[in-house]
Amino acid sequence: MSVPLWIWLVTIGVFVAIILADLFLVDHKPHAVTIGEVTRWVLFYIALAVAFGVGVWFFQGGQYAGEFFAGYITEYSLSVDNLFIFLIIMSSFKVPVVHQHRVLLVGIVIALIMRGLFIAVGAAAIEQFSWVFYLFAAFLVYTAISLVKQAIGHEEEEWKEGRALRWLRKAFPVTDDYHGAKTTVKIDGKRWLTPMLVVMVAIGLTDILFALDSIPAIFGLTQETYLVFAANAFALMGLRQLYFLLGGLLKKLVFLSYGLAVLLAFIGVKLALHALHENEVPFINGGEPLPVPEIGIAVSLIVIVGVLAVTTIASLIAVRIKPELAEQGGAITAPPLARNKEEAARIVEADEAEHAKSPTYER
């Protein structure tokens, strides 16, 4: 698949324009979001991804379109699991309701830039060293096993400030309180950072850890760098609205970890077969390719969609039969989602009152 430079530039330009439009339309007047507003934005981003995939099919053929859709669905699915950590980060920093949209948007932009670097490095490594596929396959299978162990042990997902954030606090003074949407503020002639900037950086940097399994996973579905980037961009851009829409549903997806583990293991096996088929490692079959079967993109799509559907349906049925299963998610607080503008105003008022009588965030 040959993608000229101007296509890359146009694609990136369109993504930037969409992000700016999103920022202006949603965040120029901070507010608590409503169900209708979030639903419309989620459908908008999904429609954009579908339109892009149709465009790929029209100009490049069904093979590449299938690879894009498989990659996009996989990235979006892995992102849903990551929302647990985003919920914990938001709760730890006690982000005001009216600013959660902005925090997520800037954090996701940081994540997209970092993922772009990861993708570039991964593509270069694959181009030069075919044995990288063996490493990707082994890592995905290992991650799948870790997910299952975590699910069986009912371990709660945790988030702790990493070295980067600790260094940020040490290098720059950080205020205890939020100052509207400002990321920095001058106090007595001295420039201070606000918790708004710290939480944005926290979400952006935390996504790097998520990319460690999602980037190898999508390279197992397509080696086209352009499609890998596009799938990641669409998944991340739609993640912000999904955060609000699925916040209350996340606890009910009790089998999500098992489903994602199956997907990662499946893609790991697919990568291993591809690596053997293209083998150049001297100590495996004398450096010659092995005549092993490869898993086509059509089969991959069926498996991905099927596993996610079974996981979701089974989770909802299990929680309906045994409601206490939903409590295994720990004390994760879903973001507030209003039914109408009047309820949104009441949510903001209650949130402001809560912030006025309690510390802004937990260090």
Side-chain angles (χ1 to χ4, degrees):
M1 180 177 177
S2 178
V3 181
L5 177 61
W6 71 268
I7 293 291
W8 272 98
L9 295 176
V10 169
T11 302
I12 294 173
V14 170
F15 282 136
V16 171
I18 293 172
I19 290 172
L20 292 176
D22 192 340
L23 180 62
F24 175 77
L25 293 173
V26 178
D27 292 313
H28 74 288
K29 187 178 180 181
H31 61 285
V33 297
T34 63
I35 296 175
E37 179 184 359
V38 172
T39 302
R40 287 192 296 271
W41 276 103
V42 168
L43 293 177
F44 170 73
Y45 279 121
I46 292 176
L48 279 182
V50 172
F52 180 87
V54 171
V56 172
W57 174 81
F58 183 80
F59 290 104
Q60 297 290 338
Q63 172 70 21
Y64 291 123
E67 291 179 5
F68 167 75
F69 281 120
Y72 169 67
I73 295 171
T74 299
E75 291 295 310
Y76 216 8
S77 305
L78 292 171
S79 296
V80 170
D81 194 39
N82 301 340
L83 290 181
F84 278 107
I85 299 298
F86 287 174
L87 285 168
I88 294 172
I89 293 174
M90 288 289 199
S91 178
S92 298
F93 281 87
K94 292 183 171 64
V95 180
V97 169
V98 295
H99 298 310
Q100 289 191 12
H101 258 86
R102 182 181 294 270
V103 168
L104 281 170
L105 179 61
V106 176
I108 285 171
V109 169
I110 295 173
L112 184 56
I113 294 172
M114 298 304 296
R115 285 199 183 203
L117 297 176
F118 267 57
I119 291 169
V121 171
I126 289 171
E127 182 70 24
Q128 295 296 322
F129 312 105
S130 62
W131 50 263
V132 169
F133 285 117
Y134 288 111
L135 294 181
F136 282 0
F139 182 75
L140 290 179
V141 173
Y142 168 79
T143 303
I145 295 173
S146 298
L147 277 176
V148 172
K149 286 182 177 179
Q150 180 179 325
I152 293 175
H154 302 306
E155 298 176 14
E156 292 186 12
E157 297 195 52
E158 297 181 357
W159 176 83
K160 295 181 180 179
E161 288 194 3
R163 293 182 180 178
L165 287 185
R166 291 198 295 270
W167 175 86
L168 187 65
R169 292 188 186 282
K170 187 178 294 186
F172 303 96
V174 180
T175 64
D176 289 329
D177 299 316
Y178 288 90
H179 292 260
K182 294 180 179 179
T183 54
T184 66
V185 64
K186 184 172 284 189
I187 302 175
D188 297 330
K190 184 178 181 180
R191 180 65 62 179
W192 289 64
L193 304 184
T194 71
M196 181 70 70
L197 178 62
V198 180
V199 69
M200 288 174 177
V201 174
I203 287 180
L205 293 182
T206 301
D207 185 79
I208 295 177
L209 299 177
F210 302 151
L212 291 178
D213 56 25
S214 65
I215 298 301
I218 193 171
F219 270 118
L221 298 168
T222 177
Q223 283 81 61
E224 298 296 333
T225 308
Y226 179 72
L227 297 181
V228 171
F229 173 77
N232 270 271
F234 279 116
L236 283 176
M237 286 168 62
L239 183 61
R240 185 171 70 135
Q241 311 300 338
L242 204 64
Y243 166 85
F244 292 95
L245 192 62
L246 291 186
L249 181 63
L250 287 177
K251 282 189 176 183
K252 296 182 180 180
L253 299 178
V254 293
F255 298 139
L256 179 61
S257 293
Y258 295 106
L260 295 179
V262 171
L263 285 186
L264 292 177
F266 168 76
I267 298 173
V269 171
K270 183 178 186 300
L271 266 175
L273 291 173
H274 177 75
L276 291 170
H277 190 267
E278 303 291 331
N279 180 59
E280 294 178 355
V281 179
F283 56 83
I284 297 179
N285 196 40
E288 296 296 322
L290 280 80
V292 296
E294 288 203 78
I295 301 174
I297 198 62
V299 173
S300 298
L301 262 173
I302 292 171
V303 171
I304 291 169
V305 174
V307 167
L308 292 175
V310 169
T311 298
T312 302
I313 295 171
S315 294
L316 297 179
I317 292 175
V319 169
R320 174 169 290 187
I321 296 173
K322 200 173 182 180
E324 58 269 25
L325 289 174
E327 299 307 315
Q328 294 174 357
I332 297 176
T333 304
L337 192 59
R339 289 187 292 268
N340 50 54
K341 292 183 178 180
E342 290 74 18
E343 186 175 341
R346 288 195 295 271
I347 288 174
V348 172
E349 185 178 347
D351 185 64
E352 290 176 346
E354 183 66 25
H355 275 79
K357 64 181 182 182
S358 64
T360 298
Y361 66 99
E362 300 170 4
R363 298 195 177 196

